[in-house]
Amino acid sequence: MKEKVLVTRSSMPQLEEYIEEISDIWETHWLTNMGSKHKKLQEELREYLGIENIELLTNGHMALELSMQAMNLKGEVITTPFTFASTTHAIVRNGLTPVFCDINPIDFTIDTSKIEALITDKTCAIIPVHVYGNICNVEEIERIAKKYGLKVIYDAAHTFGVRYKNNCIGSYGDASCFSFHATKVFNTIEGGAVCYKDLDFGKALYRLKNFGIKDQETVDGVGANAKMNEFCAAMGLCNLKHIDEEINKRKQVVERYRSHLLGVEGIQLNPIQKDVTPNYSYFPIIINEKVFGSTRNEVFERLASEGIVARKYFYPLTNTFDCFHGQFDSSLTPIALHISKRVLTLPLYADLNLECVDNICKIILSMKNNKILD
Ligand code: T4K
């Protein structure tokens, strides 16, 4: 049977490289709780990203949850529903109320022209998402946040290595939360990090990731456990050595997709953003069925029948999730609703064969003008 092509595949170092990196753990028996690999990875990331403050955590979700907690946020938070469950769940799990702002139809990030109308006297923060590695309008968000005295926490789960005007994307806002999950451009198996400016916030975050423990006899916060362990940090140290090469390989894949799909009527591609150094983390396409002649779901099914497992990231919108029992009205975010019904994220990873990309595009293009819809 032909091997399936999945939406992504984790990047891994050579086995020998990882074994070498973890071998001293068998001498030290130091497995977790901010050990030497944790410290080394933190240092190396600081240098690689060109950022002053970074805290490592167990995953991107805890990065979000604990960042909100460390800021002691209360009330309403403006965010978008076109994202992974994590963003909205982190808000709700902090006892905060998400107020959903629509996205813009070009890069699918928060539509900054619609933020101010959603601000009330209960609004405490804006939590925008750099979705697919596309960066939000950070300058406009900063202007609004300053004007209304709001905190800004970016969900930067997709944006490892992305730079804007040559600055690390993590240097914008009060905090930026990265995911180092297995499916991400840079992975530590499971992992995450927060880049931040305020040192007091950093101290609070550090405590929260370690049960609120200040020292062996003082616990001054009700913390969680979100410490990155040494095996995850070791994976990060190995993967970081190859990250530029990995991103470059992803670039080749993206360029191959674009060479086939750019300009095809009824297919919208992810934009190339001005002044942005991208990381090529996802390859979403938006299928306008009326022009293309097949729906997103038909293309999804057809690819699946050929063993190609694309994904509908991000469908359904988080404001339609069953767990919220109809609490939110997705018709108030019409662009997000429209895009979520038409988006398909195609397979993308560093070692994806370029002939495979040709084949995926051939299948998609064979579905053009399948039928004319009214
Ligand atoms: N904010 C945003 C905007 C996010 O997208 C995410 C995570 C977060 C916050 C939270 O960050 P973390 O707490 O996860 O660090 C996947 C990932 O699990 C999730 O990290 C990611 N976003 C989301 C967009 O995608 P699923 O449920 O689609 O994963 P799954 O298991 O279906 O895997 C997708 C494909 O990845 C598989 O078909 C094959 C490949 N894969 C998967 C795993 C688990 C591998 O190659 N290796 C693996 O180990 O959520």
Side-chain angles (χ1 to χ4, degrees):
M1 213 181 79
K2 235 170 62 180
E3 211 180 311
K4 280 192 172 169
V5 177
L6 304 179
V7 70
T8 194
R9 197 170 73 160
S10 298
S11 294
M12 295 172 78
Q14 293 295 314
L15 179 59
E16 299 71 33
E17 215 180 320
Y18 187 62
I19 290 174
E20 196 185 323
E21 185 61 56
I22 60 172
S23 62
D24 60 350
I25 296 178
W26 267 257
E27 284 151 35
T28 62
H29 289 239
W30 195 272
L31 308 182
T32 185
N33 287 10
M34 286 66 86
S36 61
K37 308 226 176 265
H38 180 291
K39 289 195 186 98
K40 191 166 174 223
L41 181 62
Q42 199 170 11
E43 270 316 308
E44 291 195 8
L45 284 173
R46 198 175 278 142
E47 197 173 316
Y48 178 80
L49 296 172
I51 195 103
E52 284 195 12
N53 306 307
I54 183 165
E55 192 58 61
L56 303 183
L57 295 116
T58 40
N59 54 57
H61 181 78
M62 288 310 278
L64 283 166
E65 263 199 44
L66 296 188
S67 291
M68 290 175 214
Q69 218 181 325
M71 285 181 198
N72 200 19
L73 300 181
K74 301 263 180 298
E76 295 174 0
V77 160
I78 297 174
T79 187
T80 52
F82 188 69
T83 182
F84 192 55
S86 174
T87 323
T88 306
H89 285 1
I91 293 168
V92 174
R93 285 169 59 80
N94 264 288
L96 295 158
T97 305
V99 174
F100 292 103
C101 184
D102 211 352
I103 58 171
N104 75 67
I106 310 297
D107 60 29
F108 324 116
T109 63
I110 194 163
D111 182 341
T112 48
S113 71
K114 294 182 179 149
I115 295 177
E116 285 187 90
L118 299 172
I119 296 174
T120 70
D121 55 1
K122 297 198 190 79
T123 310
C124 59
I126 310 173
I127 305 198
V129 184
H130 297 307
V131 67
Y132 305 132
N134 295 337
I135 69 154
C136 301
N137 184 343
V138 289
E139 279 133 1
E140 183 59 5
I141 291 169
E142 188 176 331
R143 185 194 68 78
I144 297 169
K146 265 204 185 126
K147 182 170 167 194
Y148 294 91
L150 305 175
K151 296 281 186 198
V152 178
I153 301 176
Y154 283 106
D155 183 333
H158 301 172
T159 355
F160 183 84
V162 172
R163 300 183 79 76
Y164 176 55
K165 295 185 175 164
N166 214 22
N167 300 314
C168 170
I169 197 61
S171 60
Y172 294 89
D174 296 287
S176 295
C177 303
F178 292 85
S179 166
F180 300 160
H181 183 260
T183 52
K184 297 297 188 286
V185 168
F186 169 71
N187 87 75
T188 59
I189 309 173
E190 287 269 5
V194 181
C195 294
Y196 59 92
K197 291 195 187 88
D198 177 25
L199 298 182
D200 287 335
F201 165 83
K203 277 186 203 148
L205 183 66
Y206 183 88
R207 290 242 186 103
L208 285 171
K209 84 168 188 180
N210 189 27
F211 308 102
I213 295 172
K214 187 175 177 195
D215 58 48
Q216 287 189 15
E217 299 189 7
T218 323
V219 178
D220 63 359
V222 186
N225 178 358
K227 295 167 270 123
M228 180 182 285
N229 72 56
E230 292 291 275
F231 290 87
C232 289
M235 185 62 123
L237 287 168
C238 293
N239 281 336
L240 197 57
K241 292 195 180 91
H242 306 284
I243 189 68
D244 291 337
E245 189 191 332
E246 290 286 303
I247 292 178
N248 195 39
K249 283 187 185 169
R250 283 174 169 271
K251 181 176 183 223
Q252 314 298 318
V253 174
V254 166
E255 282 175 354
R256 191 69 156 233
Y257 270 126
R258 290 182 70 86
S259 75
H260 289 292
L261 300 177
L262 186 67
V264 174
E265 286 189 341
I267 293 188
Q268 179 188 339
L269 301 185
N270 208 32
I272 293 171
Q273 293 183 299
K274 194 168 170 281
D275 296 329
V276 173
T277 312
N279 67 356
Y280 308 97
S281 50
Y282 289 87
F283 196 84
I285 60 172
I286 315 299
I287 300 170
N288 178 343
E289 66 282 358
K290 290 203 176 131
V291 181
F292 187 68
S294 295
T295 65
R296 180 271 307 270
N297 286 352
E298 286 165 344
V299 175
F300 172 83
E301 294 297 342
R302 177 70 210 288
L303 287 170
S305 73
E306 302 267 355
I308 293 151
V309 188
R311 291 290 288 267
K312 300 173 193 175
Y313 296 136
F314 288 99
Y315 172 85
L317 295 181
T318 66
N319 56 5
T320 66
F321 283 177
D322 290 352
C323 57
F324 298 128
H325 310 291
Q327 198 181 328
F328 308 110
D329 181 358
S330 61
S331 70
L332 298 175
T333 52
I335 308 277
L337 197 58
H338 179 90
I339 299 289
S340 75
K341 289 179 179 164
R342 288 168 181 81
V343 68
L344 195 59
T345 308
L346 302 180
L348 170 56
Y349 45 91
D351 289 329
L352 182 61
N353 190 302
L354 295 181
E355 282 78 57
C356 183
V357 175
D358 296 342
N359 186 39
I360 293 170
C361 294
K362 199 168 139 207
I363 296 168
I364 295 172
L365 292 174
S366 75
M367 298 193 71
K368 188 163 164 49
N369 301 322
N370 245 9
K371 54 183 182 282
I372 306 298
L373 308 169
D374 359 277

